[in-house]
Amino acid sequence: MTEKYDTLLKTKMSKASFEKLTALKNPKVMEFVGFFAEHCDPASIYVCDDSAEDTKYVRDQAVAQGEEEILAHPEQTIHWDGYGDQGRDKNNTRFMVAKENLANMKALNSIDYDKGYAEILEISKGIMKGKDAVVQFFSEGPTESPFTIPCIQFTDSWYVAHSEFILYRSAYTHFFKMPDAEKDKFYRFIHSAGELDDRNCTVHVDKRRIYMDTQNNIVYSMNNQYAGNSIGLKKHAMRLAINQSGKEGWLCEHMFVMAAIDEKKKRKTYFCGAYPSACGKTSTAMIPGEKIVGDDIAYFRSINGEFRAVNVEFGMFGIIKDVNAKDDPVIFENLMKNQEIIFSNVLIGPDNKPYWLGMGVEPPAEGRNHFGPWKKGVKDAKGKEVGIAHGNARYTMRLDYLDNIDKEGFEAKLGVKVEGILYGGRDSDTTVPVEESPNWRDGILLKAATLESETTSATLGAEGVREPSPMANLDFVSYPLGAYTINNIKFGESVENPPRIFSNNYFMKGPDGDFMTSKLAKKAWLHWAEGRIHGEYQALHTPTGMIPLYKDLKELFKTHLNEDFSEETYAYLFTFHCTKWIQKLERTKAFYAKMDPEAPKELFDYWDEAIAKIQAAKDKYGDEIKPGDYKG
Ligand code: OXD
Ligand code: MN
């Protein structure tokens, strides 16, 4: 059985690659690689271990095969995804689900298992013909730790392989050391960029499919390059892990991990945070003076009864738009250095340097971007003017280049003890900048499940529409939303001291429609939360939680930002809006009912009680309750 594909593999692999593979003595690895070697039929397959030579070889191949080009800083490269392959393809990303389970997975974009499997095998048959493929071994989270999820990636894209060496921990040795009993516990990712055009971009994006089998922990991704579609270890593994964690009672969340630092008190307090896109996630993780552990995905496990988290990744695949010297000095400075970075979908000027939207630098009037040769004013096939770079252009970079990395948390095999969780949404008129939840359960149901993001003039369609985004994790939740929400509640309640939960909203607008605080005010909100965790500040009650006292914020603004924070601004920002909150909870209820017809009644009962409480407050104190007026 194990030898089934040996003859074939020997024709496609060097002796060294074949030996690396067989040295693992892992029948499931051999079966996976053998099956797709035969089915996708690449000309050759290179097997990587954890050596520096292999990491270098993969980058060199990405350049030699034309998926990346070297820039003016020779350690930096540019990769372009096709014009129609610039973001996650939600429509063609589907869970393969057995017929009998299709009904309650409907809202999660599923496909009948047999139908999906037949379709993906058809699309992938011979898809790698004439191409060189690569096999890599990685770990989600640190290797050899209770958090580790081993993964294998088989791809014909050297850009994907290069990105993964930057973004994840290479784990060939971990596979090598796996005890026999665990040899079949790993995730498998098979990817092909498909046929490439003369710019080395995927041709058949109409046949782009990302099909996930959460029963067998395998993801098939075909005819794409954009990292959110192609990189198995990122959002595909995340969906598999969410599913697994639901069965096993832990959590995989779309969250950063950071440490708030109180220099004077010599305190380091770990926070995790979930924010829908464009709601302040990266800028919170990168607040000057604090430390970052990870910017995108966290696993939570109870370790000896403690709530502990790891950053799943080793690098960041960050949105580059608006990264500039003023707003994001640490990242900007790193992007300017001659160090290993893959830029994607930015403009490369005649000087062979990268330019992007919101860079704070005058861009050249011509160059090359995701559209091809570009000149100011150029229009695409639909007559739409092409900007200098795509709004979703990215940089791929190791996290440990950043001088604000928290090395201790980044390396910790047992993760860090999390003391605070932030859920940050975007609304211009309802939720306060920071509010603490009385307990874990209230936090999940009133802060996490109710998260919303309001459309802005920067997004397509109408402005001011609230889009529900429970836990900012909706795109990746891979089992019914009700059960996922219950698992969140249960997990926190199972540990001794669950983190305190806080909500954030950095986007409340003043009476004249402008923001009322500077962009860095988030540092004051964070340090209020940090102080609360350490028992430092009194709080005022609202129908949904606890808010700061004016005197404490005044001091926090002075100490951390050297800014004056006025009492009028405080009173405005921290006013409780009864009707708006009731509407928000009604939207949450309707959304849950739509997304998961089986969602447990206890969730709706909870929200109905919360609505009744707010209604009673409204009857007693009026629709708009000033801070301090509410007495419970
Ligand atoms: C995302 C990302 O799309 O992290 O969430 O890239
Ligand atoms: Mn993300």
Side-chain angles (χ1 to χ4, degrees):
M1 175 69 196
T2 333
E3 288 93 45
K4 184 169 152 199
Y5 295 108
D6 282 10
T7 314
L8 171 82
L9 289 177
K10 279 183 188 157
T11 66
K12 292 186 185 284
M13 284 181 188
S14 68
K15 192 162 176 287
S17 277
F18 186 71
E19 276 168 10
K20 281 188 219 170
L21 205 62
T22 48
L24 297 175
K25 298 192 173 56
N26 188 319
K28 190 165 163 181
V29 167
M30 294 306 288
E31 170 70 28
F32 171 68
V33 177
F35 180 85
F36 287 104
E38 186 173 81
H39 184 74
C40 301
D41 198 20
S44 76
I45 305 171
Y46 186 88
V47 177
C48 294
D49 59 22
D50 304 335
S51 64
E53 292 78 50
D54 280 354
T55 313
K56 178 174 177 332
Y57 181 73
V58 164
R59 183 197 188 252
D60 289 350
Q61 282 300 306
V63 173
Q65 310 251 354
E67 277 191 276
E68 292 177 36
E69 286 174 36
I70 300 217
L71 295 180
H73 279 320
E75 296 298 322
Q76 302 185 339
T77 52
I78 170 74
H79 161 81
W80 282 295
D81 300 305
Y83 196 65
D85 190 22
Q86 294 289 320
R88 281 191 278 111
D89 181 352
K90 293 196 201 183
N91 202 23
N92 287 308
T93 300
R94 304 212 175 113
F95 296 103
M96 293 157 59
V97 180
K99 266 192 191 58
E100 60 273 23
N101 297 329
L102 266 177
N104 69 345
M105 287 287 283
K106 220 191 247 151
L108 299 180
N109 205 16
S110 311
I111 183 163
D112 169 67
Y113 192 99
D114 296 336
K115 194 167 158 226
Y117 188 64
E119 186 190 355
I120 204 76
L121 282 194
E122 164 79 33
I123 288 178
S124 55
K125 185 148 183 59
I127 197 169
M128 297 183 183
K129 260 198 175 70
K131 290 171 110 186
D132 300 318
V134 50
V135 171
Q136 297 158 289
F137 299 88
F138 291 108
S139 156
E140 295 281 26
T143 55
E144 297 169 57
S145 98
F147 290 94
T148 311
I149 295 185
C151 301
I152 175 168
Q153 173 81 61
F154 186 148
T155 178
D156 62 8
S157 165
W158 295 81
Y159 155 71
V160 165
H162 180 201
S163 300
E164 291 195 329
F165 265 148
I166 296 175
L167 293 172
Y168 302 95
R169 289 180 169 87
S170 185
Y172 178 84
T173 311
H174 182 100
F175 270 79
F176 190 78
K177 289 194 204 160
M178 265 180 189
D180 282 350
E182 286 182 17
K183 279 203 150 108
D184 60 347
K185 293 197 180 71
F186 56 90
Y187 293 174
R188 293 165 291 169
F189 303 104
I190 173 78
H191 166 258
S192 173
E195 194 184 325
L196 301 181
D197 63 16
D198 54 1
R199 303 182 63 231
N200 287 299
C201 296
T202 296
V203 175
H204 302 292
V205 277
D206 57 316
K207 292 221 166 61
R208 177 171 52 207
R209 297 288 183 279
I210 299 125
Y211 284 180
M212 282 165 289
D213 174 353
T214 53
Q215 289 301 309
N216 299 299
N217 286 327
I218 178 165
V219 180
Y220 310 84
S221 169
M222 298 295 149
N223 289 307
N224 62 71
Q225 285 170 304
Y226 171 70
N229 296 318
S230 61
I231 292 192
L233 275 283
K234 199 163 181 77
K235 297 299 165 91
H236 309 344
M238 188 178 174
R239 293 176 180 98
L240 299 184
I242 290 176
N243 192 275
Q244 183 183 336
S245 64
K247 291 176 190 149
E248 297 176 355
W250 50 281
L251 292 173
C252 168
E253 294 300 305
H254 196 195
M255 287 193 184
F256 64 63
V257 185
M258 71 175 299
I261 306 296
D262 189 318
E263 290 285 359
K264 275 208 199 107
K265 297 181 182 126
K266 302 261 169 286
R267 262 191 335 228
K268 182 152 124 183
T269 309
Y270 286 103
F271 281 85
C272 290
Y275 299 65
S277 104
C279 292
K281 186 178 180 191
T282 308
S283 60
T284 305
M286 291 293 294
I287 295 176
E290 323 296 346
K291 297 225 179 262
I292 184 168
V293 179
D295 76 318
D296 199 32
I297 307 169
Y299 290 166
F300 297 154
R301 280 187 183 268
S302 164
I303 298 196
N304 300 327
E306 270 183 8
F307 191 116
R308 300 192 73 91
V310 287
N311 168 20
V312 168
E313 305 179 285
F314 188 78
M316 63 200 298
F317 174 60
I319 296 178
I320 204 164
K321 179 168 176 262
D322 294 333
V323 173
N324 56 57
K326 183 169 164 287
D327 296 326
D328 248 322
V330 180
I331 293 178
F332 187 78
E333 188 192 307
N334 272 283
L335 298 181
M336 294 294 121
K337 285 187 191 162
N338 184 26
Q339 57 188 6
E340 187 176 27
I341 292 164
I342 310 174
F343 292 93
S344 46
N345 308 319
V346 298
L347 176 77
I348 299 302
D351 54 2
N352 214 21
K353 289 185 176 161
Y355 295 89
W356 57 87
L357 297 164
M359 184 183 181
V361 166
E362 190 59 39
E366 58 178 15
R368 292 174 304 141
N369 66 10
H370 60 295
F371 180 69
W374 176 88
K375 254 199 180 81
K376 215 177 164 107
V378 107
K379 297 207 165 80
D380 70 10
K382 288 188 179 142
K384 188 170 168 256
E385 185 167 335
V386 183
I388 69 153
H390 196 274
N392 194 27
R394 302 271 181 147
Y395 60 90
T396 301
M397 180 174 85
R398 299 166 65 103
L399 263 158
D400 61 2
Y401 286 168
L402 303 178
D403 56 18
N404 58 337
I405 182 109
D406 177 58
K407 272 252 184 293
E408 190 190 348
F410 190 59
E411 303 294 344
K413 299 235 185 234
L414 295 183
V416 297
K417 182 172 188 295
V418 184
E419 297 188 82
I421 302 231
L422 309 170
Y423 287 103
R426 175 193 276 269
D427 72 66
S428 51
D429 61 8
T430 308
T431 55
V432 298
V434 63
E435 185 178 60
E436 181 182 337
S437 235
N439 58 50
W440 177 263
R441 187 186 175 80
D442 285 338
I444 295 301
L445 290 175
L446 276 189
K447 308 286 190 245
T450 64
L451 260 194
E452 291 179 310
S453 163
E454 184 177 316
T455 53
T456 66
S457 54
T459 48
L460 295 175
E463 217 177 307
V465 177
R466 320 278 152 131
E467 283 170 354
S469 185
M471 289 74 162
N473 205 7
L474 208 61
D475 282 353
F476 314 108
V477 170
S478 44
Y479 62 106
L481 187 58
Y484 166 71
T485 305
I486 297 286
N487 189 36
N488 258 270
I489 296 173
K490 282 201 178 139
F491 177 73
E493 289 182 345
S494 75
V495 297
E496 233 164 73
N497 284 310
R500 305 269 189 106
I501 295 182
F502 301 85
S503 63
N504 274 150
N505 172 26
Y506 304 147
F507 304 95
M508 173 69 94
K509 288 191 176 153
D512 54 4
D514 290 336
F515 295 124
M516 300 180 78
T517 53
S518 68
K519 272 193 181 167
L520 265 185
K522 45 176 85 76
K523 191 171 173 76
W525 318 136
L526 175 72
H527 279 274
W528 181 75
E530 192 266 353
R532 284 289 296 170
I533 288 167
H534 297 287
E536 272 172 9
Y537 303 117
Q538 299 288 308
L540 300 170
H541 287 263
T542 78
T544 51
M546 278 102 74
I547 54 169
L549 265 49
Y550 171 63
K551 71 173 177 56
D552 296 326
L553 286 180
K554 182 174 151 74
E555 196 185 310
L556 284 162
F557 268 79
K558 202 74 212 161
T559 321
H560 290 284
L561 305 165
N562 198 22
E563 281 179 24
D564 293 320
F565 183 61
S566 78
E567 195 150 10
E568 296 76 68
T569 304
Y570 167 76
Y572 188 90
L573 288 177
F574 286 90
T575 291
F576 187 86
H577 308 278
C578 295
T579 303
K580 289 191 172 121
W581 249 105
I582 291 173
Q583 288 165 346
K584 183 176 168 69
L585 289 171
E586 291 293 358
R587 286 193 298 272
T588 304
K589 280 171 54 188
F591 187 67
Y592 266 71
K594 182 178 102 189
M595 292 303 288
D596 182 6
E598 308 285 314
K601 186 170 166 301
E602 68 174 275
L603 301 180
F604 298 93
D605 290 348
Y606 177 93
W607 291 317
D608 282 337
E609 274 171 39
I611 288 169
K613 186 172 171 189
I614 298 170
Q615 185 58 51
K618 180 177 166 183
D619 295 344
K620 192 157 168 195
Y621 304 102
D623 197 23
E624 309 269 295
I625 309 176
K626 290 272 168 240
D629 287 356
Y630 180 74
K631 301 287 180 249

